[in-house]
Structures are given as C-alpha cells and as structure tokens.
Amino acid sequence: MAGYLTTHVLDTARGVPAEGLKIELFHIEGEQRMHLKTLVTNDDGRTDEPILPSGRFATGTYELVFHAGSYLDASGTPPEHPRFLDVIPIRFGMSKASHYHVPLLLSPYGYSTYRGS
C-alpha cells in the first residue's frame, strides 16, 4: 500500500464544511522547514487532491498550517484584532506507508484534530 495524506476541515461554530481555507504543507528535517505545497479547501472542506499524494509520499515529520483567521474573516465571523486563532500549525509524524488523514474541527475560539481514517 502506498502512503498519502488528506484533511477535512469543518467549521463547528456554523455547522458547515470550511470552504476556501488555505492550507500549507511543510516537511520538517531537524531545524529546516521546507514548504511543499499550498492548497485551498473546496465546498466540502476537503482539498481537491491529496495534500501529499502517494507518488510524493515519504515518512518523516510534517506540518500542516491552517490559515484559520483569513477563513473566519471571509466567512463573516465577527472581526477582532488580533484574532484569537489566526494560523494553526499541526506538526505530526508519518512512520509508515499508510493513509494519514489529519482533520481539523474549527471554531473562532478552539480547534481539535486527530488521526482520522
């Protein structure tokens, strides 16, 4: 089985998928943080393609950066400056060739993540 990485972002405050949320993927090696890809969620809160497809999959440490503040601004969430949640980095490891799913449950004042399926 080839490994790959996906996500799903849900806006739990509004009860809808988080459409239009920018996500960046970084590969972490020691002190180096290398940008691999930038994607935006579709109307289902997912990316149109795997964040890291099987052809580019490698084990190691990665970071997904969710640009929550920009999404909250665009979704009509009442503004505040600075936003309580603006940029949400989630650093995680992928140790074997498998499907890694890193979802984000988002509200203006909290978030949750887990390894999904």
Side-chain angles (χ1 to χ4, degrees):
M1 169 194 260
Y4 62 104
L5 172 64
T6 60
T7 192
H8 189 197
V9 185
L10 297 173
D11 181 333
T12 58
R14 297 181 338 152
V16 298
E19 179 180 5
L21 192 144
K22 183 172 104 172
I23 302 168
E24 294 178 289
L25 174 66
F26 294 87
H27 185 237
I28 310 298
E29 285 188 39
E31 297 298 315
Q32 286 192 326
R33 185 175 178 252
M34 297 176 300
H35 180 264
L36 299 180
K37 193 177 219 178
T38 300
L39 296 151
V40 176
T41 56
N42 60 25
D43 63 353
D44 192 35
R46 302 173 189 274
T47 56
D48 288 332
E49 60 189 58
I51 295 171
L52 190 61
S54 59
R56 295 190 60 201
F57 182 87
T59 59
T61 302
Y62 291 84
E63 185 175 81
L64 284 172
V65 177
F66 296 87
H67 291 265
S70 298
Y71 163 77
L72 293 167
D73 289 343
S75 71
T77 301
E80 59 181 353
H81 186 73
R83 280 222 174 261
F84 179 71
L85 293 176
D86 185 18
V87 176
I88 301 171
I90 299 175
R91 192 168 286 193
F92 58 96
M94 297 191 295
S95 61
K96 62 183 177 179
S98 180
H99 176 199
Y100 287 83
H101 185 66
V102 182
L104 182 72
L105 304 176
L106 173 66
S107 77
Y109 299 102
Y111 68 92
S112 178
T113 190
Y114 55 94
R115 180 171 175 191
S117 59

